[in-house]
Amino acid sequence: MTAFRKIFLLMLALFIATYLLGAVFYVHQARHDVQRELAAVTSLARALGSPETLPSGVAETLRHMRPAQITGLAPIQELPRWFESTVAGSQGYEVVNGWRIDPADEVEEIWEGFLLISASYAVGMALCFIALFWMVGQGIRPLANLASAMAAVAEGKLGSRLSRQNVVELDALALRFNDMVAALESEQKTVSRLLNELLQLQDKEREHIARVLHDDLGQYLTGIRAQARSWVYDPDLNERQRQQARDLAGHCETVQQHFRHLLQDLHPLVMEQLGLAGAIRHLAEQWQHLSGLDCKLTMDDPLAQLSGAQQTHLYRFLQEALNNVSRHANATCAMLAVQQNANQLHIELRDNGVGADDFPEKAGLGLRSMRERARCLGGRAQFLSKVGEGTRIKLTVPLGLPCVSGGML
């Protein structure tokens, strides 16, 4: 129940109780006045004597008393029986010296006064409710604005602020809210900056490890393989030793294949050689080969020129997205579309897996890193999933923007 409805019902009950209490007091006082008026009229009737002794026309001017022989006089207006019996009771209508004591006109006046007071009370109550509606509306509007601003903050819009209020208490609340959101925005920027630096440091460490492995361990493996190949043709070795040399060379080749996959995961050297478009094609082919799933790639070529950091973030985003499909989607194929226009780069990855209704809520570290990489690109990532309909991941990156290090995704 809304606050206005609660206040409305409370005020309505208070007005009704006040009206009923006032009506009881009014009727009680009216009965007392009627009895007092009847007592005075009875005394007057005794003092006047019979109606025949009075001059003609005098009897018609007297209130609350009529000659007893005149019957059937209708009241001025039809009164409710309950009101008449409550106010007049069984008293009155006595015959004193030929006069009939009749309080009907007094009761009519009391009834008219009761209607007038009730109408005035109803008008006053209506005006009070109009004023109450306006005042409650004025008081609730800042609270509604506060609720809207809090909802915007919950959606990640930390730029929401409340305007100054005319009421001191509400103005203090607005100022505290603005201070809280400003502090939260500052902390969010700090966290985003640290996450971005962490991702950049992670990519640099991966690149360093990949180069060290490629230049050192890779050369050793190549040398061992070449040496094993040379032993195959060594006449001083017997056939068993030559077979061992062949096996050693084959093992070295297998290790080198896995080694190349490891280097590709650590640092996409192919991107330096083939560019972003070639790296994406190579990534799709490699993922298709390793996962055993079909990957249908459609891509505009050539792609817009991005900085080295942006290319790395974009490549890692797609790499993590494809890995999630092979690990969790239980799909048979994935469709990757990379399209661009003059202002934006659009990427969409769709699978035919099982999907999940609570996909964003059960996000792990990989999904959070994808969100952060999208933020670093100055874009926005959307994750759409439904049970039985697979999962869609959409990334929109504005072109011509530098790689950011703060802000809110």
Side-chain angles (χ1 to χ4, degrees):
M1 185 180 294
T2 62
F4 176 76
R5 184 171 296 181
K6 289 182 178 180
I7 296 175
F8 176 83
L9 293 178
L10 179 62
M11 294 299 295
L12 182 61
L14 181 62
F15 273 111
I16 292 175
T18 303
Y19 177 78
L20 293 177
L21 185 61
V24 170
F25 284 134
Y26 183 86
V27 171
H28 178 74
Q29 183 63 35
R31 290 191 63 176
H32 177 71
D33 292 341
V34 168
Q35 292 174 2
R36 185 175 56 186
E37 192 73 17
L38 290 178
V41 171
T42 302
S43 299
L44 178 61
R46 289 193 180 97
L48 289 177
S50 63
E52 292 80 6
T53 61
L54 296 178
S56 177
V58 175
E60 288 75 8
T61 61
L62 298 177
R63 287 169 51 84
H64 314 319
M65 49 192 300
R66 297 286 184 272
Q69 66 272 17
I70 301 177
T71 59
L73 291 177
I76 299 176
Q77 62 178 357
E78 197 69 30
L79 300 179
R81 296 296 299 272
W82 64 268
F83 186 82
E84 184 176 2
S85 61
T86 300
V87 173
S90 59
Q91 301 185 24
Y93 308 103
E94 301 179 4
V95 178
V96 178
N97 288 338
W99 296 95
R100 183 181 299 278
I101 307 303
D102 185 2
D105 49 357
E106 181 71 17
V107 176
E108 288 174 0
E109 291 180 1
I110 294 173
W111 173 250
E112 291 174 355
F114 181 76
L115 293 180
L116 180 60
I117 293 174
S118 299
S120 301
Y121 189 84
V123 172
M125 184 175 65
L127 293 177
C128 287
F129 275 110
I130 292 174
L132 176 66
F133 178 80
W134 181 82
M135 293 175 63
V136 172
Q138 293 295 318
I140 290 180
R141 186 176 295 110
L143 299 180
N145 294 337
L146 176 61
S148 300
M150 294 181 69
V153 171
E155 294 175 357
K157 301 175 183 177
L158 298 183
S160 301
R161 295 294 187 273
L162 292 177
S163 59
R164 300 296 298 268
Q165 305 296 321
N166 296 326
V167 182
V168 176
E169 293 79 4
L170 293 177
D171 187 61
L173 180 63
L175 290 177
R176 295 295 182 273
F177 174 82
N178 292 339
D179 292 341
M180 179 194 70
V181 176
L184 183 61
E185 185 178 21
S186 177
E187 290 298 324
Q188 181 64 42
K189 289 181 178 180
T190 301
V191 171
S192 298
R193 178 177 55 81
L194 293 176
L195 285 175
N196 181 55
E197 292 177 357
L198 179 61
L199 290 175
Q200 291 181 353
L201 180 62
Q202 183 185 59
D203 291 336
K204 289 181 180 179
E205 287 294 329
R206 285 179 172 181
E207 181 182 358
H208 174 70
I209 294 173
R211 292 191 182 279
V212 170
L213 291 176
H214 180 269
D215 295 341
D216 295 340
L217 186 58
Q219 298 300 325
Y220 282 119
L221 282 174
T222 302
I224 293 173
R225 181 184 177 189
Q227 185 66 39
R229 286 292 184 185
S230 67
W231 287 343
V232 173
Y233 304 102
D234 191 341
D236 296 333
L237 299 179
N238 57 36
E239 184 61 28
R240 179 172 175 274
Q241 291 172 329
R242 290 193 186 97
Q243 184 60 42
Q244 289 177 340
R246 293 189 190 95
D247 294 341
L248 179 59
H251 292 325
C252 287
E253 184 177 1
T254 302
V255 171
Q256 282 184 316
Q257 290 178 353
H258 290 288
F259 190 65
R260 282 192 292 269
H261 294 321
L262 176 61
L263 292 179
Q264 185 64 25
D265 287 336
L266 287 174
H267 180 65
L269 297 175
V270 67
M271 191 159 54
E272 299 178 0
Q273 303 167 356
L274 303 178
L276 179 60
I280 293 176
R281 289 193 184 92
H282 182 271
L283 175 63
E285 294 172 358
Q286 183 187 40
W287 178 83
Q288 188 172 234
H289 173 71
L290 294 177
S291 65
L293 306 178
D294 186 23
C295 183
K296 300 177 181 179
L297 173 65
T298 57
M299 180 171 55
D300 293 342
D301 197 7
L303 294 178
Q305 293 295 325
L306 300 177
S307 66
Q310 287 177 318
Q311 291 185 23
T312 301
H313 284 309
L314 184 58
Y315 183 88
R316 293 298 184 192
F317 182 94
L318 293 175
Q319 188 178 46
E320 184 64 36
L322 288 171
N323 289 337
N324 284 337
V325 173
S326 59
R327 293 172 186 168
H328 310 296
N330 194 20
T332 59
C333 70
M335 290 141 289
L336 177 60
V338 182
Q339 299 174 331
Q340 69 176 13
N341 53 35
N343 300 317
Q344 291 180 326
L345 178 66
H346 299 278
I347 296 176
E348 180 175 349
L349 176 64
R350 180 185 302 180
D351 64 63
N352 63 347
V354 294
D357 291 333
D358 57 346
F359 181 77
E361 285 74 14
K362 63 179 185 180
L365 180 60
L367 196 59
R368 288 195 291 268
S369 69
M370 291 171 63
R371 290 183 182 275
E372 182 59 25
R373 291 190 184 277
R375 186 202 61 79
C376 293
L377 288 166
R380 183 175 181 83
Q382 293 178 282
F383 303 90
L384 309 173
S385 184
K386 191 174 182 179
V387 173
E389 298 183 6
T391 301
R392 294 171 59 194
I393 300 176
K394 301 173 68 175
L395 174 65
T396 302
V397 180
L399 300 177
L401 294 180
C403 188
V404 298
S405 61
M408 181 67 187
L409 178 58

